[in-house]
Amino acid sequence: MSRQQQLEYSEFQAAMLDEGKRRRKAAKIIAVLEHFHGPLAGLTVGDVGCSAGFIADELAGAGAKHTLGIDIDVPGLRKAADRFGERVAFVCGDGTALPFPDRSVDVLVFNHIYEHVVDPDAVVAEMHRVLADDGVLYLGLGNRLGIMEPHYKLPFLSYLPPSLADRYVRAFGRADHYYERFRTRRGLKRMLRAFHVWDYTFPVLATPTRFAGGELFPGVLGKVVRAVLAKTPREVLKLLLPVVPTYLWVATKTPRRPRGAALPQPPERVL
């Protein structure tokens, strides 16, 4: 079966309408961007794959001068425009042909979207085109080798070739076929080879409260996990990188370094 665009994604993926969860994700995204780049005040910011607009609304609330939300999810865009249209410009647009001039956007967010699009390499190329020369791209990237597939909650689903993955999701009554296409860390690095990339995965996991992500590790167990992650040598943590379920990366078109304060587990260069 050839892959088609996932139109009206918010109509069958309830997580896109979970306002609390989406706003918590936005807080993490903003915290990472501000650690790397500084405040968003006065910048033009775009959320590629914005759906119902909760993350775009938070970006506007963080001080962006102009906030753009782009998606092909028409029902989601309608909901977004109805609620947040006064301070966010929502555009129905294909990520492979972003309706913006070259070098016109200061910050782009591409959060857990690439596995849903038909041609992620073309979308990445478009983001490179519209991003300002000193701009910043935030990336939330699922890993094909993460044990638990995040959409259908089936272990090792993303490891399988498409035909077997289709049978797997049907056997458990989760879907008619498995649409998503994840890449490994190596594949993601190839996809982003035109950028300079910093990895914020371990900084966020080791100091979640610093990145508005305290809900990742609640309670006493959370304190233990945070302490272990904060003190574990990076060379040991690197052994886990191939199977980390999600990578949090920040990419730029020209070489830059994070501006934020020192962290127990600092960001590290990927590319």
Side-chain angles (χ1 to χ4, degrees):
M1 179 183 296
S2 62
R3 296 180 79 219
Q4 303 297 319
Q5 291 178 322
Q6 282 189 310
L7 303 173
E8 303 183 342
Y9 185 66
S10 62
E11 295 289 280
F12 59 86
Q13 180 52 264
M16 301 307 294
L17 303 179
D18 185 336
E19 182 167 353
K21 185 175 182 180
R22 300 299 290 173
R23 290 192 184 276
R24 288 193 296 273
K25 285 181 180 292
K28 178 176 65 180
I29 291 167
I30 291 166
V32 170
L33 285 169
E34 290 183 339
H35 186 272
F36 184 87
H37 175 78
L40 303 184
L43 302 180
T44 296
V45 179
D47 182 12
V48 180
C50 66
S51 191
F54 299 118
I55 290 175
D57 182 57
E58 291 288 333
L59 292 167
K65 182 177 181 180
H66 302 290
T67 307
L68 311 166
I70 308 98
D71 211 314
I72 55 174
D73 176 6
V74 172
L77 287 172
R78 288 197 185 108
K79 293 181 178 70
D82 287 346
R83 289 193 60 184
F84 315 122
E86 290 187 0
R87 63 175 182 174
V88 179
F90 292 101
V91 181
C92 185
D94 187 338
T96 62
L98 294 172
F100 309 123
D102 294 358
R103 300 183 294 279
S104 61
V105 183
D106 300 304
V107 175
L108 285 169
V109 172
F110 193 56
N111 185 52
H112 294 286
I113 302 297
Y114 88 90
E115 70 268 22
H116 298 287
V117 302
V118 176
D119 189 350
D121 296 288
V123 177
V124 168
E126 270 294 273
M127 292 192 295
H128 189 278
R129 178 184 67 79
V130 305
L131 192 66
D133 289 339
D134 60 349
V136 177
L137 168 62
Y138 174 94
L139 299 141
L141 303 166
N143 175 16
R144 182 180 180 183
L145 299 183
I147 303 300
M148 186 64 70
E149 204 282 342
H151 302 89
Y152 302 98
K153 310 301 181 186
L154 294 171
F156 302 108
L157 173 60
S158 56
Y159 285 55
L160 301 176
S163 59
L164 290 179
D166 287 348
R167 295 178 189 177
Y168 191 8
V169 293
R170 283 198 296 268
F172 283 85
R174 304 293 172 86
D176 292 330
H177 72 280
Y178 182 53
Y179 180 90
E180 288 71 20
R181 297 289 183 270
F182 286 98
R183 300 186 182 191
T184 63
R185 184 178 175 87
R186 180 179 296 179
L188 293 170
K189 289 170 67 174
R190 284 198 299 269
M191 184 174 75
L192 292 158
R193 60 188 177 276
F195 287 92
H196 303 267
V197 180
W198 287 81
D199 193 337
Y200 270 78
T201 307
F202 289 136
V204 171
L205 290 174
T207 50
T209 53
R210 169 64 180 78
F211 293 99
E215 80 282 354
L216 290 173
F217 300 118
V220 175
L221 178 60
K223 292 182 180 180
V224 174
V225 172
R226 290 194 295 271
V228 170
L229 286 171
K231 296 178 180 179
T232 300
R234 181 58 67 93
E235 292 306 313
V236 175
L237 291 177
K238 282 182 178 180
L239 298 176
L240 302 174
L241 280 174
V243 295
V244 168
T246 297
Y247 302 119
L248 306 178
W249 290 355
V250 172
T252 60
K253 292 169 69 171
T254 55
R256 292 179 58 182
R257 298 186 63 84
R259 295 181 177 179
L263 298 166
Q265 291 291 350
E268 236 179 37
R269 279 288 301 271
V270 178
L271 292 168

